C-alpha cells in the first residue's frame, strides 16, 4: 500500500495531523505552531538526531494517514501518544542544545544580585518625550521665522525693476551646455555632491537654486525681481543649517510661482520634458497663505455650459478642491432650473475637506451633465443658508467663509439675495469664475464678486484655470497680511513623491512647518500683499527616534496624532503598497484616523482626549497581530498621552502589562563591555539612536555600532550618546559573551553538527543581537534571515523582532515553535524561541530571547 504525499493532504487530514502535533507539544512541554498553509518543509539532508526526528514524525503522519486511507490499520491512542511524547522530547533536547538557552538563563541568574529592576512610569515618560519633541520642532520653527524675517527685509529694500536682467541658477538648466559647449542661459556651473543627510542626493550645500514650472515664463520680470530679491536667503539657509544640522530641505515658495530650494539640486522633468510642480499648490503653501475656511462651490450646469465649458468648469472645481486641506470645510451645489447637491448625503451641511471627501467630490463632478436654464438666485440662497447655519451652530472652520460661483453668465436679478443674506457686513466673500470666451454677462458676474469682497476672473481655456483659481488665496490672505499675522502652520503627514521627480521619491512620511511672508513696504501695506511662504520639512521617522524604543519594552510603541484625529506616525500605519517591484503610496495614506488602528477604543475616548490636546492615561484590552498579520496576541495595554506644545500634534505611548511594566539595568566597566561589544557575532539596532550621528557631517556615514565604539574608545568624545542605553548594551554584551564560545564549541565538535540546524541567535532589550550561522550561505534556506532587509526579525524603530515578541508571551524557559510566513517557496523554516528572564524580589523582567532556526 502507498500512502499519499503530505503536500496532498486534505484539510481534514491536516486537522488530524495538527492534533497529533498538539499532543506532541503537550507531552514535550513545548508547542509547535504551523504556518499559514499548514505545510511542513522537507529536507533532503539530515543528521543523526534530525533523521530520527523526521523519521519519527513521518511514521506518525504516514501511519495516521494510512489509517484514514484504507481504514484497516489500527493503532491504539496510547501508541500515538507515546510517539508524540518522544517527538516532543527530541525537539526540546535539540532546541536546548543548539540555542544554549540554559547557559544564558544561568548567566543572567548569576548577575541578578547586580541588577536593578524598576517600574516604567508611563506618565513621566510621555511628558519627557513630548518635551524633547517640542524642543526639536521649536528649532525648526525658529529657522522658519529667520527665513520669513530675511525675506521681508529683502523685499523692503528691493526696488522693483521692470527691465531687470538677472542670471539666476535655474535648477532645471544648471550644468547644461549648448551645441558649442557653452553654458545655457540661466544654467551655469553648479557643483553637486552626494550627501548622506539628503537621501544621498547630489546637492550643493553652499547655494540654493530656483525651480520654475513649465507654464510660468522663467524670465518674466516678476520672476527675475523675486529671484534677485530672494538671493538674500542663501546666507540664512546656510546659517540655519549650521545652527541645526538636523534640518532638511529649506525653501521659499513665491506667490509669482518660483520655488527657491536649499540645498540646491538638479531638477529632473517628467518623461515629456515638463515640470508640473508648482509650490503654490502644495499643502504647506496653501495652509500658510490662508486661514481655515468654509467653502461652498456653486456650479452652473444649465444647457449653455455644454462641451468645453463644462470641461473647464470641472477642472476649475477640481483645482479649487486641491487648494483645500483638512482644516477647511466644503460642499458643492449644482444648479440649472433647480438646485441639487452633488452628494445628496451632504445636503445642507459642510464636510471636512480631507483627502477622502475631496476625492469623493471629484468622482461625483465627473458625472455632471448639463440641462435646462440657469437659475443662480436659488443656488446662492442655499449656499448662504449652509454657511449661516454652520456659523450659528459653531460648526465648520469658524473662520473665513466663501462662495465660489462657476458659471458662463448670470441673467436674472440677484441683488436682493445679497441684501438679505450678506449685506452690509459682507461676512461671506463671493468669488466668481466666468467660463468660456463669451463675455456678454461679464459685468453681472464681476458685480457679484466686487460687491461681496471677492474676486472676479475670466477662465476661457483649460490653461487659464490654475493661475486664476490661485487668485482667491491672495484675497483670503489680505486680512492676515494687513494685520501681519505670522501664524506658523504644520501640515498633516505626507510623502512628497512629486518633489524632485525621480530623484527624491524616498517615500518617507514627513510633515512641513511653514510661515507666510508679507510685504512691509508702506505704499503696499494697506493692499495686503502676500510675497510667498517659507518652510522646512521634518521627517517623522527622525521625530520618532526621540521615543527611545528600549524604554517602551517588547510590545510598547509610540505614535503621533494631529488635532483632526489623523495619524502622523503609528507602527500599524502602512502607507505603501507593492505594484510589481515598486512601492507606492496608498490613495488615502495620510487620512487614516486613530480609530482605524486603535479600534478597541470603541467609544473613541482616547481619540477625543488627544484631539482636544489633553494629558491623561487609559487602559484597553487589545488584540495585536504579528508575523505579517498571520498570528494574534491578546494584550492589556496602558496608553499615556499628552500634547506637544506650540504644535497641533499630540504624542501617545503604549506600555503592555506584564513584562512591559518593568525595565532592568546592570552595570559593568567600559573596558570589559567594550571588549565583548566588538565581537564579530554581535550587532546592535541600527535604527535606534545610541549616539546621534546626524549632527556632525563627519559622523553620518557611521553605523550605530561604529559610533558607539568610537565614542567609548575616546576617538569621538563629542558624540551625543544615550548613557543609559549604552550602559545596558555593555552589560548585555558581557553577560551574553559566553554564548560565542558555546556556539563555536558546538561547531567544532568532532561528533558533527546536526544538518538542518541553520542559525542560533539571541536578542536583548537593549537592541543587542548575537547570532551563529551553523550552515553556510549556500546551504541556508532563508538567506535574508537576520539581514537588514528582514525587518520582521530585526530590532527596528517601530517594533522588536517577531520572534522576541512571540516568545515574551510564552512561559519563560519553554520553547515556542512556529513556521514564519515566507514570500517564496524556497523551503520552510521552523523557529524555536524561548524567553530569558531576570527576577529581583517579586519583579521579573525579560532579559532577552533565545532562538534556534531549523529547516
Amino acid at each position: 500500500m502507498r500512502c499519499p504525499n503530505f503536500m496532498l493532504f486534505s484539510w481534514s487530514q491536516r486537522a488530524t495531523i495538527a492534533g497529533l502535533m498538539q499532543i506532541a507539544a503537550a507531552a514535550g512541554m513545548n508547542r509547535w505552531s504551523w504556518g499559514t498553509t499548514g505545510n511542513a518543509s522537507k529536507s533532503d539532508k539530515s543528521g543523526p538526531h534530525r533523521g530520527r526526528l523526521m523519521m519519527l514524525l513521518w511514521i506518525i503522519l504516514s501511519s495516521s494517514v494510512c489509517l484514514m486511507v484504507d481504514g484497516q490499520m489500527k493503532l491504539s491512542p496510547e501508541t500515538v501518544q507515546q510517539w508524540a511524547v518522544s517527538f516532543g522530547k527530541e525537539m526540546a533536547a535539540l532546541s536546548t542544545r543548539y540555542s544554549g538557552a540554559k547557559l544564558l538563563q544561568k548567566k543572567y541568574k548569576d548577575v541578578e544580585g547586580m541588577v536593578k529592576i524598576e517600574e516604567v512610569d508611563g506618565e513621566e515618560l510621555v511628558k519627557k518625550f513630548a518635551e524633547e519633541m517640542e524642543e526639536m520642532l521649536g528649532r525648526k520653527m525658529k529657522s522658519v521665522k529667520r527665513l520669513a524675517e530675511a525675506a521681508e527685509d529683502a523685499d523692503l529694500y528691493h526696488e522693483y525693476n521692470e527691465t531687470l536682467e538677472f542670471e539666476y541658477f535655474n535648477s532645471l538648466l544648471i550644468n547644461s551646455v549648448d551645441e558649442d559647449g557653452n553654458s545655457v542661459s540661466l544654467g551655469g556651473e553648479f557643483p553637486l555632491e552626494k550627501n548622506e543627510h539628503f537621501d544621498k542626493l547630489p546637492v550643493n550645500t553652499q547655494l540654493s537654486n530656483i525651480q520654475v514650472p513649465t507654464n510660468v515664463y522663467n524670465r518674466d520680470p516678476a520672476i527675475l525681481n523675486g529671484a534677485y530679491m530672494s538671493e538674500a536667503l542663501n546666507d540664512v539657509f546656510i546659517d540655519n543649517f549650521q545652527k541645526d544640522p538636523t534640518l532638511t530641505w529649506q525653501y521659499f515658495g513665491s506667490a509669482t510661482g518660483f520655488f527657491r530650494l536649499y540645498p540646491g539640486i538638479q531638477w529632473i522633468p517628467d518623461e515629456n520634458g515638463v515640470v508640473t510642480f508648482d509650490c503654490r499648490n502644495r499643502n504647506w503653501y496653501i495652509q500658510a497663505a490662508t486661514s481655515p475656511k468654509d467653502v461652498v462651490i456653486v456650479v452652473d450646469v444649465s444647457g449653455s455650459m455644454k462641451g468645453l465649458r463644462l470641461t473647464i468648469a470641472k477642472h476649475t472645481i477640481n483645482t479649487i478642491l486641491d487648494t483645500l486641506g483638512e482644516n477647511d470645510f466644503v460642499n458643492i451645489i449644482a444648479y440649472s432650473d433647480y438646485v441639487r447637491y452633488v452628494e445628496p448625503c451632504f445636503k445642507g451641511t459642510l464636510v471636512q475637506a480631507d483627502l477622502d471627501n475631496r476625492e469623493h467630490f471629484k468622482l461625483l463632478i465627473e458625472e455632471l451633465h448639463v440641462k435646462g436654464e440657469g437659475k443662480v438666485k436659488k443656488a446662492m440662497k442655499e449656499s448662504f443658508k449652509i454657511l449661516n447655519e454652520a456659523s450659528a451652530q459653531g460648526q465648520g472652520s469658524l473662520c473665513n467663509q466663501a462662495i465660489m460661483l462657476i458659471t458662463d453668465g448670470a441673467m436674472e436679478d440677484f441683488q436682493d439675495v445679497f441684501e438679505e443674506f450678506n449685506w452690509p457686513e459682507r461676512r461671506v466673500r463671493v468669488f466668481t469664475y466666468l467660463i468660456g470666451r463669451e463675455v456678454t454677462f461679464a459685468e453681472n458676474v464681476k458685480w457679484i464678486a466686487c460687491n461681496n469682497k471677492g474676486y472676479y476672473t475670466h477662465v476661457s481655456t483649460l490653461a487659464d484655470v490654475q493661475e486664476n483659481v490661485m487668485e482667491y488665496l491672495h484675497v483670503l490672505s489680505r486680512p492676515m497680511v494687513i494685520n501681519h499675522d505670522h501664524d506658523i502652520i504644520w501640515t498633516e503627514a505626507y510623502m512628497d513623491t512629486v518633489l524632485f521627480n525621480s530623484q527624491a521619491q524616498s517615500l518617507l512620511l514627513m510633515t512641513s512647518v511653514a510661515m507666510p511672508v508679507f510685504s512691509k513696504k508702506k505704499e503696499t501695506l494697506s493692499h495686503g500683499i502676500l510675497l510667498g511662504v517659507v518652510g522646512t520639512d521634518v521627517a517623522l521617522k527622525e521625530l520618532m527616534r526621540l521615543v527611545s524604543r528600549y524604554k517602551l519594552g517588547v510590545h510598547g510603541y509610540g505614535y503621533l496624532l494631529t488635532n483632526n484625529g489623523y495619524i502622523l506616525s503609528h507602527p500599524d500605519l502602512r502607507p505603501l503598497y507593492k505594484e510589481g517591484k515598486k512601492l507606492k503610496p496608498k490613495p488615502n495614506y495620510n487620512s487614516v484616523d486613530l480609530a482605524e488602528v486603535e479600534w478597541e477604543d470603541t467609544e473613541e475616548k482616547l481619540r477625543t482626549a488627544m484631539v482636544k490636546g489633553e494629558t491623561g492615561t487609559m487602559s484597553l484590552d487589545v488584540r495585536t497581530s504579528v508575523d505579517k498579520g498571520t498570528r494574534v496576541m491578546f494584550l492589556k495595554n496602558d496608553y499615556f498621552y499628552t500634547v506637544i506644545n506650540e504644535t497641533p500634534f499630540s504624542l501617545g505611548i503604549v506600555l503592555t502589562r506584564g513584562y512591559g511594566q518593568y525595565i532592568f539595568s546592570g552595570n559593568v566597566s567600559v573596558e570589559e563591555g567594550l571588549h565583548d561589544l566588538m565581537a564579530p557575532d554581535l550587532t546592535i539596532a541600527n535604527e535606534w539612536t545610541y549616539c546621534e550621528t546626524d549632527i556632525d557631517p563627519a559622523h553620518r556615514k557611521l553605523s550605530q555600532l561604529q559610533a558607539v565604539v568610537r565614542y567609548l574608545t575616546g576617538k569621538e568624545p563629542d558624540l551625543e550618546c544615550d548613557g543609559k542605553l549604552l550602559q545596558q548594551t555593555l552589560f548585555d554584551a558581557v553577560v551574553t559573551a559566553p554564548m560565542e564560545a558555546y556556539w563555536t564549541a558546538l561547531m567544532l565538535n568532532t561528533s558533527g553538527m546536526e544538518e538542518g540546524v541553520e542559525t542560533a541567535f539571541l536578542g536583548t532589550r537593549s537592541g543587542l543581537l548575537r547570532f551563529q550561522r551553523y550552515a553556510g550561505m549556500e546551504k541556508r534556506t532563508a538567506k535574508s534571515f537576520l539581514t537588514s532587509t528582514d525587518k520582521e526579525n530585526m530590532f527596528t524603530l517601530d517594533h522588536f523582532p517577531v520572534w522576541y515578541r512571540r516568545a515574551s508571551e510564552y512561559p519563560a524557559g519553554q520553547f515556542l515553535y512556529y513556521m514564519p510566513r515566507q514570500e517564496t517557496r524556497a523551503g520552510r523554516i521552523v523557529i524555536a524561541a524561548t524567553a530569558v528572564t531576570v527576577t529581583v524580589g517579586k519583579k521579573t523582567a525579560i532579559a532577552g530571547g533565545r532562538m534556534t532556526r531549523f529547516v
Side-chain angles (χ1 to χ4, degrees):
M1 181 196 71
R2 187 164 177 259
C3 296
N5 185 281
F6 179 57
M7 295 295 288
L8 302 178
F9 289 168
S10 67
W11 283 109
S12 60
Q13 291 168 326
R14 289 184 185 180
T16 304
I17 294 165
L20 288 170
M21 299 311 298
Q22 288 174 356
I23 296 172
M29 294 303 291
N30 296 287
R31 185 174 73 179
W32 184 286
S33 195
W34 291 100
T36 54
T37 62
N39 297 330
S41 62
K42 296 187 292 182
S43 178
D44 295 330
K45 300 178 180 179
S46 58
H49 290 286
R50 177 71 173 169
R52 290 199 301 273
L53 284 172
M54 293 300 103
M55 181 58 72
L56 178 58
L57 178 59
W58 176 244
I59 290 172
I60 294 173
L61 298 183
S62 60
S63 298
S64 63
V65 173
C66 291
L67 179 63
M68 289 182 283
V69 171
D70 56 26
Q72 294 180 359
M73 291 185 63
K74 291 185 179 180
L75 293 172
S76 67
E78 291 77 12
T79 301
V80 176
Q81 186 173 17
Q82 185 178 4
W83 289 344
V85 169
S86 298
F87 176 70
K89 288 181 177 178
E90 288 277 5
M91 285 298 294
L94 197 66
S95 303
T96 301
R97 181 187 182 199
Y98 285 100
S99 68
K102 287 186 177 180
L103 172 62
L104 186 61
Q105 183 62 75
K106 181 181 182 301
K107 291 299 178 183
Y108 272 104
K109 186 75 176 174
D110 292 343
V111 297
E112 282 183 351
M114 304 164 52
V115 168
K116 181 180 179 182
I117 295 183
E118 297 176 313
E119 188 168 351
V120 180
D121 188 335
E123 293 182 31
E124 283 300 313
L125 209 54
V126 75
K127 287 179 183 177
K128 176 179 177 293
F129 291 153
E131 287 170 0
E132 290 175 356
M133 288 186 174
E134 180 185 345
E135 182 183 351
M136 176 185 177
L137 298 178
R139 294 197 301 270
K140 315 303 178 190
M141 289 189 281
K142 287 179 181 177
S143 296
V144 169
K145 286 179 181 178
R146 285 193 287 266
L147 286 173
E149 290 170 2
E152 290 182 353
D153 288 343
D155 175 72
L156 179 62
Y157 298 110
H158 172 71
E159 187 173 338
Y160 189 88
N161 182 357
E162 186 71 29
T163 60
L164 177 68
E165 291 292 330
F166 176 61
E167 290 289 315
Y168 61 87
F169 285 113
N170 186 304
S171 58
L172 188 67
L173 303 173
I174 55 171
N175 300 326
S176 300
V177 294
D178 57 22
E179 295 177 353
D180 298 325
N182 299 316
S183 295
V184 300
S185 178
L186 300 182
E189 186 178 346
F190 195 81
L192 297 171
E193 184 178 347
K194 286 187 177 182
N195 191 298
E196 294 283 331
H197 184 64
F198 294 95
D199 299 320
K200 298 181 181 179
L201 285 173
V203 299
N204 185 325
T205 55
Q206 300 304 311
L207 286 171
S208 63
N209 58 10
I210 287 176
Q211 175 267 341
V212 183
T214 301
N215 64 336
V216 176
Y217 179 43
N218 58 23
R219 283 193 172 277
D220 185 279
I223 298 293
L224 293 178
N225 277 268
Y228 179 79
M229 175 273 293
S230 60
E231 283 283 300
L233 296 181
N234 270 319
D235 291 340
V236 186
F237 284 141
I238 295 170
D239 186 51
N240 279 344
F241 192 38
Q242 289 174 344
K243 288 179 178 176
D244 181 9
T246 65
L247 276 173
T248 56
W249 307 102
Q250 302 176 68
Y251 40 81
F252 169 60
S254 169
T256 59
F258 74 82
F259 181 61
R260 182 177 285 279
L261 179 69
Y262 174 87
I265 65 163
Q266 174 79 57
W267 204 284
I268 307 297
D270 63 21
E271 60 274 10
N272 299 314
V274 176
V275 177
T276 57
F277 177 88
D278 190 326
C279 61
R280 296 169 296 179
N281 294 337
R282 311 311 292 170
N283 207 7
W284 52 265
Y285 185 99
I286 294 164
Q287 286 188 39
T290 63
S291 303
K293 48 198 171 291
D294 301 333
V295 176
V296 178
I297 301 172
V298 180
V299 58
D300 183 353
V301 289
S302 62
S304 61
M305 286 285 290
K306 63 183 178 182
L308 180 60
R309 290 183 181 183
L310 183 62
T311 302
I312 295 173
K314 289 178 179 180
H315 187 40
T316 302
I317 295 172
N318 288 338
T319 306
I320 293 172
L321 288 172
D322 286 338
T323 66
L324 304 179
E326 58 185 31
N327 294 320
D328 303 317
F329 291 80
V330 67
N331 206 334
I332 303 178
I333 291 175
Y335 74 92
S336 54
D337 297 304
Y338 62 97
V339 174
R340 66 182 179 89
Y341 288 82
V342 296
E343 174 50 84
C345 295
F346 298 159
K347 182 177 181 180
T349 188
L350 293 167
V351 295
Q352 190 176 17
D354 58 24
L355 186 61
D356 288 342
N357 286 331
R358 296 200 308 268
E359 293 302 315
H360 181 60
F361 275 129
K362 287 180 180 181
L363 291 174
L364 295 172
I365 290 303
E366 289 304 311
E367 299 173 5
L368 288 178
H369 300 286
V370 297
K371 185 180 180 181
E373 185 181 353
K375 301 287 186 180
V376 70
K377 191 172 180 179
K378 292 180 182 178
M380 296 303 290
K381 279 186 177 181
E382 187 68 20
S383 302
F384 279 116
K385 285 179 181 178
I386 294 173
L387 295 172
N388 288 343
E389 189 172 333
S391 244
Q393 296 182 1
Q395 297 174 345
S397 68
L398 303 178
C399 197
N400 291 312
Q401 290 192 324
I403 295 173
M404 309 294 194
L405 175 61
I406 301 168
T407 181
D408 63 347
M411 294 177 289
E412 58 185 318
D413 182 17
F414 37 71
Q415 182 172 332
D416 59 330
V417 176
F418 302 113
E419 290 175 347
E420 179 182 355
F421 291 99
N422 207 34
W423 294 353
E425 292 88 356
R426 291 174 171 80
R427 186 174 46 81
V428 178
R429 294 179 183 269
V430 182
F431 297 87
T432 56
Y433 300 87
L434 182 64
I435 304 298
R437 298 186 182 279
E438 181 62 52
V439 293
T440 304
F441 301 104
E443 285 303 315
N444 288 351
V445 178
K446 187 175 182 179
W447 183 93
I448 292 173
C450 295
N451 284 278
N452 289 279
K453 298 172 70 174
Y455 190 88
Y456 158 80
T457 185
H458 184 197
V459 187
S460 57
T461 68
L462 285 169
D464 296 335
V465 172
Q466 184 67 50
E467 286 294 320
N468 286 317
V469 165
M470 298 305 295
E471 289 296 338
Y472 94 86
L473 294 176
H474 299 294
V475 176
L476 289 184
S477 70
R478 282 175 188 164
M480 294 172 56
V481 179
I482 293 170
N483 295 326
H484 257 63
D485 294 333
H486 283 86
D487 292 333
I488 286 183
I489 65 95
W490 289 91
T491 68
E492 73 277 11
Y494 71 97
M495 293 179 190
D496 208 331
T497 55
V498 177
L499 190 58
F500 323 135
N501 198 0
S502 60
Q503 282 198 64
Q505 293 189 23
S506 58
L507 299 180
L508 284 176
L509 279 171
M510 64 179 70
T511 181
S512 294
V513 55
M515 188 175 181
V517 178
F518 307 134
S519 173
K520 295 196 297 186
K521 292 178 178 178
K522 290 183 179 179
E523 61 270 25
T524 61
L525 201 57
S526 61
H527 300 296
I529 295 178
L530 174 73
L531 299 175
V533 172
V534 290
T536 187
D537 297 335
V538 180
L540 292 170
K541 187 175 181 179
E542 297 305 312
L543 191 59
M544 291 307 294
R545 284 185 188 276
L546 298 176
V547 181
S548 304
R549 194 67 194 76
Y550 75 99
K551 292 181 180 179
L552 303 182
V554 57
H555 300 303
Y557 57 88
Y559 61 95
L560 287 168
L561 197 69
T562 71
N563 57 358
N564 286 305
Y566 293 137
I567 291 170
L568 276 174
S569 179
H570 193 289
D572 289 335
L573 177 64
R574 299 179 180 90
L576 302 174
Y577 73 98
K578 209 165 188 178
E579 188 176 279
K581 293 184 178 180
K582 286 187 177 181
L583 288 174
K584 292 189 175 182
K586 294 176 182 176
N588 301 325
Y589 70 91
N590 62 350
S591 58
V592 178
D593 197 276
L594 181 65
E596 296 179 57
V597 290
E598 299 290 350
W599 51 271
E600 289 90 350
D601 180 29
T602 52
E603 298 179 9
E604 296 192 359
K605 291 181 180 179
L606 176 65
R607 180 190 185 278
T608 301
M610 294 189 71
V611 166
K612 290 181 177 179
E614 296 175 359
T615 297
T617 181
M618 67 179 294
S619 299
L620 290 172
D621 291 308
V622 303
R623 284 168 286 181
T624 184
S625 64
V626 294
D627 202 4
K628 299 180 180 177
T630 60
R631 306 178 194 283
V632 176
M633 291 188 296
F634 296 84
L635 306 172
K636 179 79 170 181
N637 282 346
D638 292 320
Y639 293 78
F640 304 89
Y641 51 87
T642 191
V643 69
I644 302 174
N645 294 325
E646 305 300 323
T647 76
F649 307 144
S650 286
L651 170 68
I653 64 169
V654 177
L655 299 175
T656 301
R657 298 277 177 92
Y659 294 129
Q661 292 175 273
Y662 302 107
I663 185 170
F664 84 93
S665 57
N667 200 4
V668 293
S669 68
V670 172
E671 292 76 15
E672 185 181 9
L674 190 58
H675 173 269
D676 292 323
L677 192 66
M678 298 173 71
D681 71 327
L682 183 147
T683 185
I684 58 176
N686 204 48
E687 290 190 15
W688 294 11
T689 304
Y690 298 80
C691 294
E692 181 56 68
T693 58
D694 204 33
I695 295 176
D696 188 335
H699 298 152
R700 287 176 182 148
K701 292 185 179 181
L702 296 176
S703 68
Q704 282 296 310
L705 182 56
Q706 290 170 335
V708 168
V709 170
R710 292 184 72 83
Y711 173 74
L712 294 175
T713 55
K715 293 179 180 178
E716 298 287 351
D718 296 330
L719 274 167
E720 295 181 13
C721 299
D722 186 329
K724 287 186 177 180
L725 180 54
L726 291 191
Q727 175 183 309
Q728 189 57 42
T729 304
L730 292 175
F731 181 79
D732 288 341
V734 171
V735 177
T736 61
M739 300 309 301
E740 181 183 6
Y742 178 87
W743 289 331
T744 302
L746 283 177
M747 290 191 68
L748 298 176
N749 193 327
T750 55
S751 63
M753 282 285 303
E754 316 285 350
E755 289 198 37
V757 181
E758 289 195 353
T759 308
F761 51 101
L762 67 85
T764 70
R765 183 166 176 156
S766 64
L768 178 146
L769 181 69
R770 285 185 184 271
F771 57 89
Q772 174 67 55
R773 303 289 192 186
Y774 287 128
M777 175 64 79
E778 69 283 353
K779 293 184 178 181
R780 290 207 296 270
T781 302
K783 292 180 171 50
S784 65
F785 187 69
L786 291 185
T787 65
S788 58
T789 60
D790 184 23
K791 298 293 185 183
E792 281 284 303
N793 290 299
M794 300 294 284
F795 290 94
T796 70
L797 202 59
D798 287 335
H799 57 69
F800 275 50
V802 63
W803 42 266
Y804 197 116
R805 286 178 283 165
R806 295 204 64 199
S808 69
E809 294 305 308
Y810 203 63
Q814 297 183 25
F815 278 94
L816 162 74
Y817 298 95
Y818 74 97
M819 298 175 70
R821 179 181 173 184
Q822 291 174 251
E823 301 289 340
T824 66
R825 298 182 179 179
R828 302 304 300 273
I829 64 172
V830 177
I831 291 179
T834 187
V836 176
T837 59
V838 173
T839 301
V840 176
K842 295 183 179 180
K843 297 176 181 177
T844 299
I846 289 183
R850 282 293 298 106
M851 271 53 61
T852 307
R853 195 186 75 180
F854 308 93
V855 294

